[in-house]
Amino acid sequence: MLPRLHDSSEARRKEACKAIQGRIRDLMHSRDDGRIRTLIGAIAKTLVGGPGLSERIGGLFGLSAASTALGSQIRPYLDVIVTAAVTALDDDRPGVRFAGCEALYNVAKVARSSMLRPDLFRAVFVAMLSVVGDATESDVRNGAWLLSTTLLDIAAAQGDALDLPLFLDLFRAHSQAANPHIRQALLTWLAQLDSVPGLDVGDCLPQFLGSLLLMLQDPNGPVRSETHKVLLHFLRQLQSLTPDELAARVDLPAVVTILTDSSVA
């Protein structure tokens, strides 16, 4: 079954994926967790972890098939599946990176809020940003944007499951990157998360204001324009608050310090 995942024939690869799905469903029906883990581990280690191009891509197809079969029961197996798929995004071959994005997209569609578990979210988000910024391969970049959009939709729909401090830490760290694609992705996330009821991203303004001011100086015009829009949005939020609300919700002395340091620099 597994060797067919990297067969040169697309029909055989599809047959292998269907066989994996059928096998996992049978094992789920018999509640054989051990054999499910063995099968997923074999796909992750033998194929995705292998050196060959066709093996790695075939293994990623296999992980997608397994995830689809597991459906709502995927949570206990996410560590192995996500770890294997994330490693593919660091591969030097574009085909593997694209297949990794596709696999994580398929996993995310099934796992939903489980993908927001802090350790998994950090790993996927950081890897996703690295391929969003792919300088030479537009197909890989497009695959990464699709993954990013899917994760963001999940976070927006289930905001209470997102670790906002973790996201803001990642935002600050990766806003230092000069790559315009990475910065645009970060701005998209920040703007959309602020629309999620209950997250109150604007209350955390001092935690990302410095990063926005840095991106406002980006040599890339679209990045500067988008950063200006985001800054204006948060400024209008502040203006809509009463003095008491402003004092209670936002660390104004920290905001003033950041703005002062930025003007001096």
Side-chain angles (χ1 to χ4, degrees), residues 43-64:
I43 296 171
K45 183 177 180 179
T46 306
L47 296 179
V48 180
L53 175 64
S54 60
E55 286 85 358
R56 295 207 77 181
I57 293 177
L60 291 162
F61 289 162
L63 290 181
S64 292

Side-chain angles (χ1 to χ4, degrees), residues 86-220:
V86 161
T87 62
L89 272 60
D90 192 40
D91 196 283
D92 59 2
R93 292 160 294 192
V96 176
R97 295 199 301 277
F98 179 81
C101 290
E102 187 176 44
L104 285 169
Y105 164 76
N106 288 322
V107 173
K109 285 196 304 180
V110 174
R112 303 300 295 171
S113 64
S114 294
M115 291 292 282
L116 302 180
R117 200 182 82 193
D119 57 330
L120 294 181
F121 178 77
R122 178 190 290 276
V124 174
F125 190 81
V126 171
M128 177 270 295
L129 285 179
S130 72
V131 284
V132 159
D134 198 302
T136 58
E137 300 294 334
S138 60
D139 285 346
V140 176
R141 207 161 50 239
N142 291 338
W145 271 104
L146 179 60
L147 172 60
S148 176
T149 300
T150 302
L151 282 175
L152 182 50
D153 288 344
I154 293 169
Q158 306 187 38
D160 57 344
L162 177 70
D163 185 334
L164 182 59
L166 170 60
F167 166 74
L168 293 177
D169 284 345
L170 295 172
F171 181 92
R172 286 194 303 273
H174 292 278
S175 66
Q176 303 294 320
N179 188 296
H181 300 292
I182 292 176
R183 286 184 164 180
Q184 285 175 328
L186 290 171
L187 289 166
T188 298
W189 270 78
L190 187 67
Q192 188 160 333
L193 288 179
D194 187 55
S195 67
V196 178
L199 273 186
D200 299 323
V201 174
D203 293 1
C204 305
L205 182 61
Q207 298 184 40
F208 57 85
L209 178 59
S211 298
L212 290 179
L213 294 173
L214 176 66
M215 288 192 278
L216 199 58
Q217 304 172 46
D218 194 289
N220 182 276

